Amino acid sequence: MESIIIKPAVTVSGEISVPGDKSISHRSIMLGAIANGVTAVRGFLRGEDNISTMQAFRSMGVDIEDDGEVIKINGNGLYGLKEPSDVLDCGNSGTTIRLITGLLSGQSFFSVLTGDKYLRKRPMKRVVEPLSLMGADISGRNGATLAPLAINGGKLKGITYQSPVSSAQIKSSIMLAGLYAEGETNVIEPSLSRDHSERMFRFFGASLDVNNDGVTVRGGVELSAREVIVPGDISSATFFIVAALITPGSELLIRNVGVNPSRTGAIDILLEMGGDIKLLDEREVSGEPVADILVRYSSLKGISISGDVVPRAIDEFPVLCIAAARGEGITTIRDARELRVKETDRIKAISENLRKLGITVTETEDGMDITGSERLLGGVVDSSGDHRIAMSMSIAALVAASEITITDIDCVATSFPTFFKLMGKTVSR
Ligand code: S3P
């Protein structure tokens, strides 16, 4: 397990682009694999999580080529996947296991899905339960609530499912099963989670409606291969947005970032905290909104965060907490219980780490209160094996009084393999 020592920065400046969007990259492989024709994907994120998805589909007989620039997926059609001869290893990726469980429920073969020690602790009941209502035959550890999961694929029927949580993984898993189900499959969520599946289903020619009653997918409709251009991942960009906002004298331009409104909660939150962030040259690429983002150092203030913005910023809370730790006054976060079931319990991990740096944090069941301070101490913090905790603490180190050691940073490769390199490019000391 590797560690890294990060020294305080003088400024974070220049012009960068961040790697491709993780959620869109996963979905491009999945839909490309079951479409008819060759799907070409540019800007694909070659992080470990997306490689897990790619390998899973290769194991199901899909020919996927990568020339280092473009990924070419020779789609097998809706009913062309083959029974894998071994267990499918989803690594650390919740998106891979939850979405593929939906897809595999409707196949005519048997499959087993597993993952690393972190993924095997994460809740799977949230997808197993609705899929079972559709007729899926899934078994697994602890009453089919934990991976490994074994799926006896078979006939499914459409359902209407009111999800108790706003989760794109739950929604997308059911939508993928819905492609194979008899009739219509409808998913309703408390507030909108990222809608990349809805957009990409439409882009590939699926039959679906999206309205106030959620998303409805009609089964048995073949998909057509497309050319997908993946924008930069706003979740990756947010580490650098916060870095520039909290480091005096910084000005940073991040080019080509996906700004889908279901993902821009962190921008809204940082604007409310007083951040100087501008979206430039807004455009649409492969059915997704894209922009360049210009950020300047700003003095931030504490705010209250709760409600519908939470799912729109769900992956950004670790680094938003770093912004809060530097803001003037108290930031309160509520309605964010989902953070407890991410790659690690992020409420606990961030609270413990911030306290080590001298910040006052009170944990609640569904959030935390963070009292901002001008002084962040140096020290040693641990990632808990969670990529976003590792990267967030690296950003905190840029403004700490002395260097910070972050232990167990290998996990950064799951979503942002070039993070430290890019940090080296923008930070002056
Ligand atoms: C994702 C959905 C979110 C997010 C994850 C990616 C997706 O998870 O945290 O990083 O691609 O669908 P939940 O659906 O569990 O909120």
Side-chain angles (χ1 to χ4, degrees), residues 22-23 26-27 95 98-99 122 126 166-170 172 194 314-315 338 342-343 388:
K22 183 154 75 78
S23 294
H26 279 302
R27 287 157 174 79
T95 307
R98 295 205 180 103
L99 270 58
R122 296 184 64 187
R126 51 181 51 205
S166 298
S167 156
Q169 291 180 357
I170 298 175
S172 307
R194 64 191 67 193
I314 195 68
D315 288 340
E338 278 295 295
K342 293 293 175 189
E343 285 78 335
R388 300 203 205 280

Side-chain angles (χ1 to χ4, degrees), residues 68-388:
E69 202 195 322
V70 184
I71 306 271
K72 281 205 180 115
I73 308 154
N74 294 288
N76 286 17
L78 200 57
Y79 300 100
L81 297 177
K82 308 267 180 320
E83 182 172 270
S85 60
D86 204 345
V87 173
L88 301 173
D89 184 359
C90 303
N92 189 246
S93 177
T95 307
T96 307
I97 195 164
R98 295 205 180 103
L99 270 58
I100 292 186
T101 297
L103 182 70
L104 291 178
S105 295
Q107 307 300 318
S108 56
F109 54 74
F110 172 77
S111 52
V112 181
L113 298 165
T114 192
D116 69 9
K117 64 178 182 184
Y118 301 101
L119 192 61
R120 280 182 275 116
K121 280 191 204 144
R122 296 184 64 187
M124 295 300 144
K125 188 178 171 197
R126 51 181 51 205
V127 292
V128 171
E129 205 166 68
L131 294 170
S132 302
L133 292 172
M134 296 177 77
D137 177 359
I138 306 171
S139 44
R141 276 193 314 131
N142 197 35
T145 62
L146 295 172
L149 297 175
I151 305 164
N152 259 314
K155 286 213 176 336
L156 302 177
K157 57 178 187 305
I159 55 164
T160 290
Y161 187 67
Q162 176 98 48
S163 178
V165 281
S166 298
S167 156
Q169 291 180 357
I170 298 175
K171 174 172 64 179
S172 307
S173 181
I174 301 168
M175 286 172 67
L176 284 161
L179 290 175
Y180 294 91
E182 202 186 302
E184 292 187 347
T185 300
N186 170 230
V187 191
I188 307 154
E189 49 185 348
S191 65
L192 185 69
S193 65
R194 64 191 67 193
D195 67 355
H196 302 301
S197 294
E198 291 91 315
R199 287 171 187 261
M200 205 179 278
F201 270 49
R202 186 170 295 124
F203 195 56
F204 276 75
S207 172
L208 86 164
D209 298 323
V210 182
N211 54 39
N212 288 342
D213 294 326
V215 54
T216 302
V217 179
R218 276 170 284 279
V221 178
E222 292 277 350
L223 309 180
S224 309
R226 295 301 305 257
E227 186 163 338
V228 180
I229 301 175
V230 182
D233 196 323
I234 191 159
S235 296
S236 300
T238 306
F239 294 107
F240 287 92
I241 294 174
V242 171
L245 284 176
I246 63 175
T247 312
S250 299
E251 178 170 321
L252 187 67
L253 180 65
I254 312 174
R255 289 214 183 270
N256 187 37
V257 184
V259 288
N260 179 320
S262 65
R263 293 284 300 282
T264 49
I267 305 265
D268 294 346
I269 289 167
L270 291 166
L271 284 171
E272 197 185 330
M273 291 177 83
D276 181 353
I277 305 170
K278 290 188 179 71
L279 300 194
L280 310 174
D281 191 15
E282 292 187 54
R283 53 214 185 255
E284 187 162 311
V285 181
S286 303
E288 289 278 350
V290 177
D292 300 332
I293 302 181
L294 180 65
V295 198
R296 292 195 186 93
Y297 166 75
S298 311
S299 53
L300 301 177
K301 60 177 195 308
I303 59 165
S304 295
I305 306 167
S306 64
D308 291 354
V309 76
V310 173
R312 297 176 51 238
I314 195 68
D315 288 340
E316 285 62 76
F317 278 94
V319 77
L320 288 172
C321 290
I322 305 303
R326 291 294 284 181
E328 195 194 320
I330 299 175
T331 294
T332 63
I333 301 169
R334 294 291 183 275
D335 302 330
R337 213 191 169 282
E338 278 295 295
L339 295 177
R340 296 217 180 261
V341 290
K342 293 293 175 189
E343 285 78 335
T344 190
D345 177 343
R346 287 182 173 161
I347 293 179
K348 181 163 168 268
I350 276 286
S351 300
E352 283 173 0
N353 281 343
L354 282 179
R355 279 189 211 114
K356 283 188 191 152
L357 305 182
I359 300 293
T360 304
V361 185
T362 312
E363 268 186 58
T364 67
E365 209 240 328
D366 67 342
M368 52 191 131
D369 295 344
I370 301 170
T371 306
S373 166
E374 274 173 21
R375 194 170 157 77
L376 214 65
L377 306 176
V380 181
V381 294
D382 183 55
S383 75
S384 306
D386 182 323
H387 55 135
R388 300 203 205 280

